[in-house]
C-alpha cells in the first residue's frame, strides 16, 4: 500500500520482460514461476484449492500476482510457452526473505522439493521464434503446509529457541490489504509430482534459528547448544 509501483514494476512489467525474451528463444524454455497464495484474496473456503475463485484480491500485491497468472495464460495461448505458476503459502527457513512475517508455514526444504517437482514434470514449450505450433502446458499449483499455525504459537517457539521473551505489541487486523488466514490444499501437487510437506514447525524454526545465528553472528540458546555439542553451524567451517 505504501509503494504500489514496486509491485507493478516487478510482478507485471518484470514478468512480461521475461516472457518476451522466452517467446522469441529457439528453443523456447519451459518456465516455472512464483505466483502467490495471496491470489485467493477474500475467498472464505478452506483449505484453498486451485479450483477456488481468485477474482477478489485483498491487496494490490495480490492483484499483480493474479495479473501474472492471466498474463501467463495469454503467452501460453498465443506463443506456446509452457508455464507453471506456483502459489506459495508463506515460506520460511534458511535464506528466507528477511521481511516475511512467518504466519502460516511450509519449510524451504519442502518448497524446494515442490519447485524441483514442478520443473521435472514441466513439458516443453511448443513455439519457435515467437510462433505457436500447437497447444502447450499451462499449470498452477499450491505449495504450502496443510496445517495453519497461529501467530502466538510461532512466537512461543521462537522465544524458547532464542532463550528470550518477545516484546509483544498486539494490534488488530488491518481493515484492508490483508487476509485473516491462509490454508493450502496441496492434493493437486501431490498427485502430479508427489509434493508432501514433512517438516513440523518446531523442527523447521530450530533449523532457521541455527542458520540465522551463524549467518548474522547472533548469540541464541540454539547456538550455545550447537557449540556445546561441537557442531559446526550451517555456513560455518571447522
Amino acid at each position: 500500500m505504501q509503494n504500489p509501483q514496486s509491485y507493478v514494476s516487478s510482478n507485471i512489467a518484470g514478468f512480461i520482460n521475461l516472457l518476451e525474451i522466452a517467446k522469441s528463444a529457439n528453443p523456447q524454455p519451459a518456465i516455472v514461476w512464483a505466483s502467490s497464495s495471496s491470489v485467493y484474496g477474500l475467498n472464505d473456503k478452506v483449505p484453498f484449492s486451485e479450483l477456488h475463485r481468485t477474482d477478489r484480491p485483498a491487496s494490490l500485491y495480490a492483484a499483480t500476482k493474479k495479473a501474472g497468472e492471466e498474463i501467463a495464460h495469454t503467452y501460453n495461448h498465443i506463443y506456446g510457452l509452457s508455464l507453471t505458476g506456483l502459489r506459495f503459502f508463506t515460506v520460511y527457513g534458511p535464506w528466507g526473505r528477511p521481511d516475511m512475517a512467518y504466519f502460516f508455514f511450509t519449510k524451504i526444504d519442502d518448497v524446494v522439493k515442490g519447485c524441483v517437482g514442478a520443473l521435472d514434470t514441466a513439458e516443453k514449450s511448443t513455439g519457435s521464434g515467437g510462433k505457436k505450433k500447437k497447444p502447450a502446458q499451462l499449470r498452477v499449483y499450491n505449495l504450502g503446509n496443510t496445517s495453519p499455525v497461529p501467530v502466538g504459537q510461532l512466537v512461543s517457539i521462537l522465544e524458547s529457541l532464542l532463550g528470550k521473551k518477545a516484546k509483544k505489541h498486539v494490534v488488530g487486523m488491518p481493515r484492508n490489504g490483508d487476509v485473516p488466514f491462509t490454508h493450502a490444499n496441496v492434493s493437486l501437487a501431490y498427485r502430479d509430482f508427489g509434493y508432501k510437506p514433512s517438516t513440523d514447525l518446531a523442527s523447521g524454526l530450530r533449523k532457521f534459528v541455527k542458520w540465522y545465528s551463524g549467518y548474522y553472528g547472533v548469540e541464541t540458546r540454539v547456538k550455545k547448544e550447537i557449540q556445546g555439542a561441537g557442531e559446526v553451524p550451517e555456513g560455518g567451517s571447522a
Side-chain angles (χ1 to χ4, degrees), residues 143-164:
L143 289 188
N145 200 311
T146 56
S147 301
V149 178
V151 178
Q153 183 178 345
L154 161 69
V155 173
S156 295
I157 294 173
L158 286 175
E159 285 179 330
S160 175
L161 293 172
L162 296 170
K164 296 181 179 180

Side-chain angles (χ1 to χ4, degrees), residues 2 10 36-37 41 44 50-51 80 84 116 128 160 168 183 200 216 229:
Q2 294 179 350
S10 177
S36 170
S37 62
D44 56 6
E50 292 89 346
L51 299 177
T84 301
V116 172
S128 178
S160 175
K168 301 175 184 177
H183 186 181
D200 65 272
Y216 289 102

